[in-house]
Amino acid sequence: KRQLVHRHAPVDIELWVTQIRAASFTITYEVKDDDLVYVRASTVVVPFDFEAERPRRLTAEEREFLEEYRDDAEEAVAA
């Protein structure tokens, strides 16, 4: 990985889903130029029911949508 310095040229950001659980999913992403990766990270997203003021489970429709972007081969993210 290399340092990304300020510039006006755009960089590519690739995102994919690496894990889907009952009440969360993980999005992994890379900031890169061609094959040069500047950073790789992941975020765990938890759906929240604002009315009940607590996390909620994913719906079948949400799981189906997320499955289209799932790639288990890229699950491990170096810290």
Side-chain angles (χ1 to χ4, degrees), residues 53-70:
E53 297 183 352
R54 63 186 180 103
R56 64 170 178 79
R57 292 190 170 277
L58 292 167
T59 66
E61 293 81 15
E62 290 167 334
R63 292 180 68 79
E64 185 178 328
F65 177 83
L66 292 168
E67 283 292 345
E68 294 182 36
Y69 300 95
R70 187 175 189 162

Side-chain angles (χ1 to χ4, degrees), residues 8 13-14 17 19 28 31-34 36 38 44 52 56:
H8 294 285
I13 301 175
E14 293 184 10
V17 175
Q19 190 172 59
T28 301
V31 177
K32 60 195 270 184
D33 278 329
D34 299 318
L36 176 62
Y38 292 106
V44 176
R56 64 170 178 79

